[in-house]
């Protein structure tokens, strides 16, 4: 009897085990038969400021709609009025992805989601002739120098960003995705739309192909409400849940002089050179930012590399001005990084806060700034020239200084075929980080270098279409492999090399007062190979030799895993952007001293906080099987790039003084797109009826078997009792 029960028990366990695994396998196979999961994670997501929520979101279960490919006006009419299978998911080519079209779709009430094809196989076919920019026509105007000036506010004199759609700052309220992988595009077009959904004689039969689009955001209303809700949950000691995070990251700053506190700096003793690190885009991961950001970063890095060849002439010269290079982060969101630098200067904690019993860099305040040269968009050349913009409000009292700055830039530019023309004196500055400094101290001489005299030449400013192809940064001859492309000096690389040489010579002369000898002039020449490598690494692939040499061992995996350029979105303060880390390491390499130390001993000293030690993998040795390993000692610093609005106790979030941007959180499975077929209502009704019939039939059968179990399964005969 015991053996029989053991066999039954063992049999039951086996059946249960097999049933579980077979069910799992069958369910996976069934899921794959029902759904096609797209690879894309490039979703429009939600941001918030003190007064609004903007961006995109779906229902928490996802939005479902019939896919329709828009190729003509008739297709728009089909979605907006004629189609019989609403709600729809609209699929557009990039040329049709315009502000007007998107607003028509998301306000129609018949659209549940939008997808845009963003592959680059046919590069000339994806760019709208009128341009596309996800931000405003007057970027950052409410937080700029002219926000309260009735003559210049709101771009009254010039509309800088004519292609601006403000979509990034609109509450779209639908999921919107970019399709950049060719396999995704093939699935949506050839396995879905053309096969099932293309109208024939104004009708579509069943089944139809639909998409479930998920981009469910957890934050709502505005930053004030979202942060209050998050604080309420934490203070209640219940399960911690944060609904949004403050935008922010780190600025990267380096000075040429290691001036230690308490040695005072003299007024007008620091030349600031500035560029921004970030950009905006409507889509996660789709940040090419070629003219918006990359050319400025590359020009500044190559200028640094050239200028530091002559650092001893400045570093050891007590009469020479210090030169400070500052990469600002978060500028696309109402000047986060530059606002924080100005605030820290006024608080006396820039570039480093005071450290007791430790050596740290002497503070820099607004009074110490002699001038600001800002490298803005310089990828397009308007008639072969760059343009020097100045502030119309302060120009009259600074005329001599500003005229001298521009004249020197022009003279050095002529040596290198870099035309520098002066923009109209009656125009305000274009959107630039320098505006935040002038807002607090109006007598700082400022020159902003751009590729436009008035409105932007870049029609794709702060958008997913701001690509390197359009500025001849990737004009490779056909047939080159990736190694050849990495080393090929493109047209844009030559232009940036000459600009960087111009800036290096200008900064050296302005700081020291020296005339340039032929030897010094040669040293202050940028390296075209370095510029070429930087453009390739930022615009084509971070998985490049320059970045591998410069990154530390811990962050190597991010390079190996990279399948596209790193995003230039500022992200949130709890996360350090890959671009920020790379720029920090590159500046350390170009400005630092190589010291003899292994990775374990390459540590920042505890006492002298002026210097940072950066470990790098180094160049390949031993036939490419190992890297040499480098330790660089430099003055490069991280400073906070988080808005003062989140630091000041009791700050009035509605005051409009500082940026108040936050980013919604979302779950690990909250973003994705999958395709599936939807049968007719009659078929669905028939399936339901068959299912109910089978349920009733099986229930009746179970009842009959259960009620007649004694007959069907008679009890086993009992063994005779042994006396």
């Amino acid at each position: 009897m015991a053996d029989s029960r053991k066999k039954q028990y063992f049999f039951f366990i086996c059946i249960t085990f097999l049933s579980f695994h077979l069910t799992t396998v069958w369910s996976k196979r069934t899921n794959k038969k029902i759904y096609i999961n797209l690879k894309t994670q490039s979703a429009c997501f939600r941001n918030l400021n003190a007064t609004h929520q903007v961006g995109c979101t779906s229902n928490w279960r996802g939005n479902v709609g019939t896919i329709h490919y828009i190729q003509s006006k008739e297709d728009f009419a089909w979605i907006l009025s004629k189609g019989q299978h609403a709600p729809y998911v609209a699929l557009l080519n990039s040329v049709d992805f315009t502000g007007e079209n998107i607003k028509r779709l998301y306000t129609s009430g018949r659209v549940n989601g939008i997808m845009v094809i963003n592959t680059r196989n046919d590069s000339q076919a994806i760019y709208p002739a009128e341009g596309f920019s996800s931000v405003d026509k007057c970027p950052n105007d409410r937080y700029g120098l002219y926000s309260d000036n009735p003559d210049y506010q709101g771009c009254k004199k010039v509309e800088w960003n004519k292609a601006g759609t403000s979509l990034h700052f609109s509450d779209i309220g639908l999921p919107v995705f970019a399709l950049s992988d060719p396999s995704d595009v093939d699935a949506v077009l050839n396995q879905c739309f053309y096969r099932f959904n293309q109208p024939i004689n104004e009708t579509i039969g069943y089944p139809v192909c639909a998409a479930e689009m998920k981009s469910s955001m957890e934050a709502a209303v505005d930053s004030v409400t979202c942060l209050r809700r998050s604080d309420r949950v934490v203070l209640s000691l219940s399960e911690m849940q944060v609904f949004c995070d403050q935008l922010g990251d780190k600025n990267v700053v380096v000075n040429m002089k290691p001036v230690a506190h308490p040695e005072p700096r003299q007024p007008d003793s620091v030349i600031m050179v500035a560029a921004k690190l970030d950009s905006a885009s409507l889509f996660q991961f789709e940040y090419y930012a070629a003219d918006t950001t990359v050319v400025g970063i590359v020009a500044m890095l190559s200028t640094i590399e050239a200028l530091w060849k002559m650092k001893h002439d400045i570093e050891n010269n007590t009469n020479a001005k210090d030169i400070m290079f500052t990469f600002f982060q978060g500028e696309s969101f109402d000047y986060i990084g530059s606002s924080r630098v100005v605030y820290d200067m006024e608080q006396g904690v820039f570039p480093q806060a005071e450290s007791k019993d430790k050596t740290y860099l002497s503070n820099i305040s607004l009074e110490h700034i002699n001038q600001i040269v800002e490298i803005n968009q310089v990828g397009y050349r308007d008639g072969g020239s760059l343009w020097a913009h100045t502030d119309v409000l302060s120009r009259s009292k600074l005329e001599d200084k500003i005229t001298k700055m521009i004249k020197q830039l022009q003279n050095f530019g002529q040596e290198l075929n870099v035309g520098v023309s002066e923009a109209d004196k009656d125009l305000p500055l274009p959107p630039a980080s320098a505006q935040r400094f002038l807002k607090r101290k109006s007598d700082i001489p400022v020159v902003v270098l751009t590729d436009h005299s008035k409105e932007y030449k870049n029609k794709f400013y702060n958008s997913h279409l701001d690509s390197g192809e359009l500025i001849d940064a990737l004009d490779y001859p056909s047939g080159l492999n990736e190694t050849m492309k990495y080393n090929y000096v493109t047209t844009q690389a030559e232009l940036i090399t000459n600009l960087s040489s111009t800036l290096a010579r200008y900064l050296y002369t302005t700081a020291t007062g020296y005339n340039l000898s032929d030897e010094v002039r040669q040293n202050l020449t940028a390296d075209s190979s370095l510029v070429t490598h930087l453009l390739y690494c930022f615009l084509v692939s971070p998985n490049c030799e320059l970045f591998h040499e410069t990154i530390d061992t811990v962050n190597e995996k991010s390079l190996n895993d990279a399948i596209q350029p790193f995003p230039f979105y500022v992200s949130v303060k709890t996360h350090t952007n890959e671009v920020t880390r790379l720029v920090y390491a590159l500046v350390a390499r170009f400005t630092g001293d190589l010291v003899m130390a292994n990775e374990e001993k390459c540590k920042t000293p505890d006492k002298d906080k002026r210097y940072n030690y950066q470990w790098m993998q180094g160049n390949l040795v031993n036939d490419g099987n190992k890297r040499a390993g480098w330790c660089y000692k430099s003055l490069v610093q991280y400073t906070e790039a988080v808005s003062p609005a989140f630091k000041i106790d009791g700050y009035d979030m509605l005051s409009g003084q500082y940026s108040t941007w936050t980013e919604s959180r979302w779950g690990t499975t909250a973003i994705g797109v999958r395709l599936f077929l939807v049968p007719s209502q009659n078929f669905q009704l028939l399936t339901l009826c068959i299912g109910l019939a089978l349920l009733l039939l099986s229930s009746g059968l179970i009842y009959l078997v259960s009620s007649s179990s004694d007959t069907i399964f008679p009890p086993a005969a009992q063994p005779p009792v042994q006396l």
Side-chain angles (χ1 to χ4, degrees):
M1 185 68 178
D3 291 341
S4 176
R5 287 182 178 177
K6 286 182 180 179
K7 289 179 180 179
Q8 290 176 359
Y9 180 73
F10 178 75
F11 180 73
F12 173 77
I13 293 296
C14 290
I15 291 296
T16 303
F17 178 81
L18 289 172
S19 298
F20 173 78
H21 284 275
L22 288 174
T23 302
T24 303
V25 172
W26 288 337
S27 65
K28 287 182 179 178
R29 289 178 178 174
T30 303
N31 182 287
K32 289 181 179 180
K33 289 180 179 179
I34 295 175
Y35 298 107
I36 297 176
N37 292 293
L38 302 187
K39 296 178 181 179
T40 181
Q41 293 287 298
S42 297
C44 166
F45 53 92
R46 173 165 285 174
N47 289 116
L48 309 96
N49 63 15
T51 56
H52 293 83
Q53 63 181 22
V54 301
C56 309
T57 187
S58 70
N59 298 325
W60 71 275
R61 287 185 175 179
N63 287 21
V64 174
T66 306
I67 291 178
H68 192 83
Y69 183 27
I70 295 179
Q71 304 172 80
S72 64
K73 293 181 179 179
E74 288 74 20
D75 290 313
F76 270 106
W78 184 269
I79 285 181
L80 298 177
S81 59
K82 294 168 60 177
Q84 308 102 340
H85 300 288
Y88 284 95
V89 166
L91 176 68
L92 299 93
N93 293 309
S94 281
V95 291
D96 298 315
F97 194 83
T98 64
E100 179 183 355
N101 286 342
I102 300 309
K103 289 173 185 175
R104 288 171 64 194
L105 292 172
Y106 79 76
T107 59
S108 68
R110 286 173 56 89
V111 174
N112 257 4
I114 300 170
M115 293 189 285
V116 56
I117 297 173
N118 195 42
T119 55
R120 281 171 155 61
N121 293 337
D122 187 6
S123 61
Q124 298 305 311
I126 70 172
Y127 302 104
E130 67 275 23
F132 176 86
S133 172
S134 65
V135 298
D136 298 335
K137 293 182 183 296
C138 196
N140 287 357
D141 176 64
R142 291 184 296 277
Y143 290 81
L145 176 61
Y146 311 105
S147 58
D148 298 323
N149 189 297
D151 295 325
Y152 299 103
Q153 65 182 186
C155 290
K156 286 184 178 178
K157 296 295 183 180
V158 56
E159 197 173 68
W160 297 108
N161 187 29
K162 284 188 175 296
T165 63
S166 299
L167 280 178
H168 195 89
F169 304 126
S170 302
D171 188 9
I172 296 175
L174 296 175
V176 183
F177 279 76
L179 305 182
S180 301
D181 192 294
S183 64
D184 282 352
V185 178
D186 177 72
V188 176
L189 288 179
N190 298 320
Q191 299 183 55
C192 183
F193 175 76
Y194 288 129
R195 188 173 179 184
F196 297 101
N197 292 3
Q198 190 168 23
I200 299 176
N201 298 325
E202 301 277 318
T203 61
I204 297 176
Y206 281 99
V208 295
C209 186
E212 178 190 82
M213 303 178 67
K214 290 183 66 176
S215 60
S216 179
M217 301 289 110
E218 296 177 359
V221 185
D222 53 48
S223 291
V224 179
T225 304
C226 182
L227 293 173
R228 185 176 65 244
R229 287 174 176 172
S230 299
D231 290 340
R232 184 182 300 161
V233 171
V234 174
L235 291 173
S236 69
L237 300 181
S238 62
E239 181 181 354
M240 184 175 179
Q241 183 174 4
V242 178
F243 299 101
C244 60
D245 295 290
Q246 303 158 13
L247 291 193
D249 189 21
K250 300 286 193 298
N251 299 313
V252 178
V253 180
V254 66
N255 289 76
M256 294 200 77
K257 289 190 170 188
V259 181
H261 180 83
E263 182 181 343
R265 293 181 182 270
Q266 298 301 313
D268 297 331
S269 62
V270 178
I271 300 170
M272 175 182 279
V273 191
K276 70 174 187 174
L277 286 173
D278 69 300
S279 73
S281 170
L282 199 62
F283 304 104
Q284 186 181 206
F285 304 123
E286 302 290 325
Y287 296 88
Y288 293 96
D291 188 48
T292 303
T293 307
V294 171
V295 286
I297 293 174
V298 173
M300 193 127 110
L301 287 172
S302 56
T303 300
I304 289 171
E305 192 272 341
L307 185 61
W308 247 260
K309 298 172 189 173
M310 302 300 300
K311 74 172 184 175
H312 295 297
D313 285 2
I314 296 173
E315 184 181 51
N316 301 324
N317 185 345
T318 56
N319 296 318
K321 294 178 177 64
D322 193 5
I323 302 176
M324 179 174 69
F325 290 87
T326 306
F327 296 85
F328 294 115
Q329 185 59 276
E331 297 301 274
S332 300
F333 290 87
D334 298 331
Y335 301 122
I336 292 174
S338 55
S339 296
R340 183 56 181 267
V341 168
V342 172
Y343 176 81
D344 287 347
M345 283 184 172
E346 292 178 332
Q347 300 301 309
V349 293
F350 182 86
Q352 292 178 308
E354 182 177 348
S355 301
K356 188 176 181 180
D357 300 327
K358 295 177 182 178
T359 303
Y360 58 96
L361 288 169
S362 182
N363 292 332
I364 298 174
S365 67
L366 293 173
E367 286 69 30
H368 297 135
I369 298 178
N370 171 266
Q371 60 180 266
I372 298 176
V373 178
E374 181 167 345
I375 309 169
N376 209 302
Q377 300 175 80
V378 293
Y380 296 87
R381 299 296 168 92
D382 187 354
S385 294
L386 293 175
W387 295 87
H389 293 261
T390 58
D391 170 38
V392 63
L393 300 179
S394 61
R395 180 69 186 255
S396 59
K397 59 185 176 183
L398 298 170
E399 183 67 40
D400 291 343
K401 292 181 179 179
I402 291 175
T403 299
K404 182 179 179 181
M405 290 172 67
I406 295 174
K407 187 64 176 175
Q408 285 184 311
L409 284 167
Q410 289 174 331
N411 290 339
F412 288 119
Q414 286 176 356
E415 299 176 1
L416 297 153
N417 296 318
V418 178
V420 180
S421 301
E422 187 173 357
D424 190 341
K425 297 179 183 180
D426 295 328
L427 291 178
L429 281 174
S433 303
Q435 290 197 27
R436 293 298 299 185
F437 291 83
L438 289 172
K439 201 174 176 89
R440 301 299 294 178
K441 191 174 187 295
S442 62
D443 60 348
I444 301 174
V446 168
V447 170
V448 177
L449 292 174
T450 75
D451 54 19
H452 51 87
S453 61
K454 293 184 178 180
E455 63 270 7
Y456 292 167
K457 290 296 177 182
N458 180 9
K459 294 182 179 180
F460 307 102
Y461 173 79
N462 270 345
S463 84
H464 61 289
L465 297 175
D466 186 14
S467 67
E469 291 94 342
L470 296 179
I471 58 170
D472 294 327
L474 310 177
D475 58 342
Y476 306 118
S478 60
L480 297 188
N481 59 32
E482 292 306 309
T483 301
M484 294 175 178
K485 290 178 181 178
Y486 175 69
N487 292 302
Y488 182 82
V489 180
T490 62
T491 302
Q492 186 59 235
E494 292 177 347
L495 293 173
I496 293 178
T497 300
N498 292 336
L499 171 59
S500 299
S501 300
T502 298
L503 288 170
R505 295 174 188 183
Y506 166 80
L507 293 169
Y508 176 86
T509 302
T510 304
T512 62
Y514 298 159
N515 293 322
L516 299 184
S517 66
D518 290 340
E519 181 182 357
V520 171
R521 183 176 274 102
Q522 183 60 39
N523 283 332
L524 294 173
T525 300
D527 183 351
S528 60
S529 294
L530 172 65
V531 174
T532 297
H533 295 160
L534 287 168
L535 287 173
Y536 180 92
C537 295
F538 280 119
L539 290 173
V540 179
S541 173
N543 192 9
C544 62
E545 180 59 20
L546 176 64
F547 283 3
H548 274 289
E549 289 178 357
T550 309
I551 205 72
D552 59 26
T553 310
V554 175
N555 292 303
E556 181 185 17
K557 187 176 185 299
S558 66
L559 300 183
N560 294 331
D561 295 343
I563 58 175
Q564 63 185 46
F566 285 139
F568 289 87
Y569 172 58
V570 58
S571 194
V572 296
K573 72 171 188 175
T574 56
H575 167 74
T576 300
N577 191 300
E578 288 90 348
V579 171
T580 305
R581 288 203 310 265
L582 283 164
V583 168
Y584 178 92
L586 288 164
V587 173
R589 177 175 175 179
F590 298 155
T591 66
D593 295 321
L594 192 61
V595 298
M596 297 303 294
N598 57 29
E599 185 172 5
E600 185 178 344
K601 294 183 179 180
C602 188
K603 305 294 183 184
T604 300
D606 186 57
K607 291 294 184 181
D608 194 344
K609 291 300 182 182
R610 293 175 300 169
Y611 296 98
N612 283 299
Y613 284 63
Q614 179 75 20
W615 177 258
M616 303 177 191
Q617 292 193 125
N619 61 296
L620 290 167
V621 295
N622 296 338
D623 297 326
N625 296 321
K626 188 179 179 181
R627 291 191 176 272
W630 299 330
C631 182
Y632 275 96
K633 171 189 175 184
S634 72
L635 290 169
V636 64
Q637 306 285 330
Y638 279 135
T639 71
E640 287 296 319
V642 179
S643 173
F646 303 120
K647 179 178 177 60
I648 301 171
D649 290 336
Y651 174 76
D652 180 6
M653 299 281 274
L654 300 178
S655 67
Q657 183 178 3
Y658 295 117
S659 170
T660 55
W661 285 104
T662 59
E663 177 194 290
S664 173
R665 287 198 175 186
W666 59 83
T668 55
T669 60
I671 289 182
V673 180
R674 59 183 184 177
L675 313 178
F676 62 97
L677 295 180
V678 179
S680 67
Q681 290 186 348
N682 290 337
F683 186 85
Q684 294 179 54
L685 182 60
L686 176 62
T687 303
L688 176 63
C689 292
I690 292 174
L692 290 173
L694 288 173
L695 175 63
L696 293 173
L697 180 62
S698 59
S699 298
L701 183 60
I702 291 170
Y703 174 77
L704 290 174
V705 171
S706 178
S707 61
S708 305
S709 60
D710 290 341
T711 304
I712 299 173
F713 306 107
Q718 297 294 325
V721 179
Q722 298 293 328
L723 296 178

